[in-house]
Amino acid sequence: MTQPKIAVDLILKKLTESTEQVKSRAQKASEVLLSPLKTDLATTPYEVVLEIDRVRLKYYRPEKIKHKIPLLVVYALINRETMLDLQPGRSVVQTFLDHGIEVYMIDWGYPTRKDRFVTIDDHVNIYMDDCIDFIRNQHGLPKINLMGICMGGAFSVMYSSLHPEKIKNLVTTVTPTNFDTDTGLLHVWMKNTCALNMGDAYGNMPGDLMNLGFLLLNPARLMIDKYIGFFEHMDNKAFVENFVRMEKWIFDSPDVPAATFRQFIEDCYKKNLLIQSRMELGGRRVALEKITMPLLNIYGKYDHLVPPEACELLTRHVGSKDKEDICLNTGHIGIYVSSKCQELFAPKIAGWLKEREKKKTAEKKASAKKTTDRKTGGKAAPAKVVSEKKAGAKAATGKKKVASAKKTATRKSATEKTKTRSAAAKK
């Protein structure tokens, strides 16, 4: 029996090549990590136009304004609104500006201990209402467009129900409204959380504690696989910069006021009052049937924080006839930052808002025409009436001329007859 030959020389050759590749990548990774990196968030220029306590209202102006009605974006209290402007080339804000939309965005800021008693009612009926009134006054408009995200989407639903006279169109994205689902570990945890005890223990709900909970929802992917991926690509400068930006955003987590956290857990996660139109803010019932403005509801098919079951019931309970659900093949954050969704998400919203503006303009023209027809009894338009009057006057003038000509002819005939008689008499 012959011994199999081992290709030792081939194995050594492969090992040498692999070693050289590792050395080359390590050298390149070292150069990338030691070089200046561009990792700033929210680089699109904006102006702070209003400040109320810790809350700021940002204003983004497009180079050319193509939409008459501005858009207010309301982010969640958890994490920061900078997600919408995470990096150049993947910025929801910049895409809206490219479509000519004036964008306002609420920055909730960082609550301090004195904010522990601030409720959902305060966020919706004071902070949001003041921002919306400011924008309405600035633009001289009775209504503006409103877009809410996650918890900010739930706030936007509540606001649109309580103040429908101020909202033209409502857009909700990854917005939980139905909490009666066990899809996703977060819903299970929240239903078994004693928010009162946590408020007593911590005051405001610590952002770092919530971040730890989010990581534990999927530890294999969020705490192991993610960093293995980083080591595999750390010789790629663009990848490293994007990775660092996302890490900075994830761990930039403001606390949530204790009173707001407690009410959200008790009224929404445990009692599911919002989708049943039984939730109350400031003594007023949040009735979903009062949401009669057009509604666009977008959510992610693979969202592990706010699954489709938590989002898709909203359009069935509102009073609006113009409503649409869109489920994208993405997760909770990917809907805003993935390259594929950049082409679907913000352009879809911009187009949807534009269609409603055109539709409203067409309705106004049709209404004006009906009013005109009603005033004229369905007869000719005023301009035509004027023409007929002119024609009548012209015809009358013509008749007068004919009559005058006849009179002149009669006078000439009488004169000729008189002359003839005079000549005959002389003879």
Side-chain angles (χ1 to χ4, degrees):
M1 183 175 179
T2 58
Q3 292 291 329
K5 292 183 178 179
I6 300 175
V8 177
D9 54 340
L10 186 59
I11 293 173
L12 291 175
K13 182 182 177 183
K14 287 290 181 185
L15 283 173
T16 303
E17 289 175 357
S18 297
T19 303
E20 291 301 320
Q21 287 178 359
V22 170
K23 281 184 180 178
S24 175
R25 290 187 61 193
Q27 178 63 34
K28 194 172 181 181
S30 175
E31 293 172 1
V32 168
L33 296 175
L34 294 176
S35 67
L37 297 174
K38 295 179 180 177
T39 61
D40 290 339
L41 308 180
T43 56
T44 302
Y46 65 86
E47 179 184 358
V48 176
V49 294
L50 181 66
E51 291 188 68
I52 316 164
D53 300 332
R54 72 181 197 280
V55 179
R56 303 190 310 161
L57 181 63
K58 297 178 177 179
Y59 171 60
Y60 299 82
R61 181 181 176 83
E63 288 187 9
K64 186 176 181 181
I65 299 173
K66 300 176 183 175
H67 287 239
K68 293 179 182 177
I69 305 173
L71 174 67
L72 172 65
V73 179
V74 181
Y75 200 78
L77 298 182
I78 303 163
N79 290 116
R80 300 290 310 285
E81 78 292 343
T82 48
M83 167 54 65
L84 297 188
D85 190 27
L86 193 65
Q87 64 190 68
R90 293 186 185 182
S91 167
V92 172
V93 169
Q94 187 58 56
T95 304
F96 283 150
L97 297 180
D98 293 342
H99 282 80
I101 299 176
E102 289 178 275
V103 178
Y104 289 86
M105 190 153 57
I106 292 180
D107 171 5
W108 293 113
Y110 296 87
T112 59
R113 190 169 179 78
K114 68 181 176 61
D115 296 306
R116 63 186 300 187
F117 302 107
V118 176
T119 62
I120 295 179
D121 176 34
D122 296 325
H123 285 96
V124 172
N125 287 321
I126 295 180
Y127 293 130
M128 281 183 65
D129 195 45
D130 283 354
C131 289
I132 289 171
D133 281 347
F134 175 85
I135 299 169
R136 292 166 64 231
N137 291 332
Q138 284 292 105
H139 293 265
L141 293 170
K143 299 180 179 182
I144 67 166
N145 294 327
L146 178 62
M147 171 179 160
I149 297 169
C150 193
M151 188 184 194
F155 286 2
S156 299
V157 169
M158 298 171 196
Y159 186 89
S160 299
S161 166
L162 298 173
H163 307 276
E165 73 282 1
K166 298 181 183 180
I167 303 302
K168 192 78 170 177
N169 299 292
L170 174 62
V171 180
T172 50
T173 64
V174 295
T175 294
T177 50
N178 170 42
F179 297 82
D180 185 20
T181 173
D182 289 335
T183 304
L185 195 54
L186 182 63
H187 284 257
V188 177
W189 283 357
M190 291 298 104
K191 288 176 183 175
N192 293 280
T193 296
C194 183
L196 184 61
N197 286 348
M198 297 191 79
D200 290 342
Y202 294 107
N204 294 329
M205 185 62 187
D208 290 338
L209 184 60
M210 288 188 292
N211 252 336
L212 177 61
F214 294 141
L215 294 175
L216 291 175
L217 290 173
N218 194 343
R221 185 169 67 85
L222 299 177
M223 299 174 70
I224 299 175
D225 187 54
K226 180 175 68 172
Y227 295 106
I228 291 176
F230 173 74
F231 281 108
E232 289 178 344
H233 297 89
M234 62 184 184
D235 57 333
N236 182 333
K237 186 172 184 177
F239 178 90
V240 170
E241 289 178 338
N242 293 343
F243 183 90
V244 174
R245 287 192 190 100
M246 180 60 77
E247 291 294 288
K248 288 171 72 173
W249 176 81
I250 289 174
F251 293 102
D252 182 11
S253 301
D255 299 344
V256 176
T260 294
F261 181 76
R262 182 166 56 244
Q263 186 180 6
F264 202 68
I265 298 300
E266 295 295 327
D267 286 0
C268 295
Y269 277 99
K270 292 188 177 181
K271 300 177 183 175
N272 196 27
L273 298 181
L274 181 57
I275 198 67
Q276 303 176 58
S277 296
R278 293 171 53 210
M279 190 169 178
E280 290 190 0
L281 294 183
R284 297 175 62 193
R285 186 170 66 91
V286 180
L288 298 185
E289 65 269 19
K290 291 185 178 178
I291 298 177
T292 55
M293 71 288 296
L295 167 64
L296 178 62
N297 186 36
I298 304 177
Y299 45 90
K301 185 177 181 180
Y302 305 110
D303 192 335
H304 68 293
L305 296 175
V306 186
E309 292 84 350
C311 307
E312 60 193 5
L313 292 186
L314 176 63
T315 49
R316 304 179 199 175
H317 288 77
V318 297
S320 175
K321 295 179 181 177
D322 181 1
K323 51 193 176 183
E324 181 180 356
D325 281 310
I326 296 179
C327 184
L328 299 176
N329 291 325
T330 184
H332 193 72
I333 302 302
I335 200 169
Y336 307 105
V337 300
S338 71
S339 55
K340 186 177 180 181
C341 286
Q342 285 295 310
E343 301 170 1
L344 299 173
F345 180 69
K348 168 63 185 178
I349 294 173
W352 186 84
L353 292 174
K354 191 68 178 178
E355 284 178 13
R356 266 86 205 143
E357 271 194 17
K358 287 181 179 177
K359 186 178 177 183
K360 199 64 185 176
T361 303
E363 287 175 355
K364 279 185 178 178
K365 287 182 179 178
S367 176
K369 187 175 184 307
K370 282 183 180 178
T371 303
T372 301
D373 289 347
R374 193 165 52 248
K375 286 181 178 177
T376 58
K379 296 180 180 177
K384 196 172 180 181
V385 172
V386 170
S387 298
E388 288 176 348
K389 284 182 179 176
K390 286 182 178 177
K394 191 175 179 181
T397 303
K399 287 179 181 178
K400 285 181 181 177
K401 285 182 178 178
V402 171
S404 176
K406 283 183 178 179
K407 285 181 180 178
T408 302
T410 303
R411 277 199 299 272
K412 283 182 178 178
S413 175
T415 302
E416 290 298 325
K417 285 180 180 178
T418 302
K419 285 181 179 177
T420 304
R421 288 194 194 107
S422 299
K426 286 179 180 178
K427 287 179 179 178

